Amino acid sequence: MKIKNGFRITWKTSRNLPVEYFILTNVQFEGRVIGHLAGRPIRETAVDNDGLRYRFVGVAPRDERGRFDVQSLKTGEWIVQPGLVYAQNPMLSDRAA
């Protein structure tokens, strides 16, 4: 399965891109709780409306203005509020299809 990510961040990419372009919304969480951030549990897996599954890979860094540093995201990585980074997991998505 091909990883869906319409953005390829390069040094030429403007830092003024809306952060919202890099945030997954309306996700459901699955799996065990592997930590907490801002008083909320961090789950192993997030599932979007299309049934694509993402695994937790870390916390989103911030830039000097306090915004999420979207240039630090790798292909297939997305931010889930309150600032978690999840990477699309093609193996889980293929299994679910």
Side-chain angles (χ1 to χ4, degrees):
M1 170 179 226
K2 188 174 184 180
I3 291 181
K4 289 172 57 175
N5 186 337
F7 300 100
R8 184 166 209 194
I9 303 298
T10 66
W11 289 111
K12 292 181 181 179
T13 303
S14 170
R15 287 189 174 270
N16 294 323
L17 276 175
V19 173
E20 293 78 17
Y21 288 2
F22 303 92
I23 296 179
L24 281 178
T25 58
N26 300 321
V27 296
Q28 300 295 318
F29 295 99
E30 296 179 346
R32 63 187 173 93
V33 174
I34 55 176
H36 289 83
L37 180 67
R40 295 169 57 185
I42 300 171
R43 297 288 200 143
E44 289 180 302
T45 306
V47 183
D48 70 12
N49 285 339
D50 294 326
L52 296 175
R53 287 172 161 59
Y54 304 81
R55 65 181 164 73
F56 174 75
V57 295
V59 177
R62 304 261 180 174
D63 65 16
E64 62 279 353
R65 294 184 300 183
R67 294 178 4 141
F68 291 123
D69 182 7
V70 297
Q71 289 191 335
S72 69
L73 297 175
K74 297 176 185 165
T75 300
E77 290 184 347
W78 299 89
I79 297 170
V80 175
Q81 294 292 2
L84 307 174
V85 178
Y86 282 82
Q88 187 177 353
N89 190 335
M91 298 302 289
L92 289 176
S93 296
D94 281 341
R95 204 174 334 135

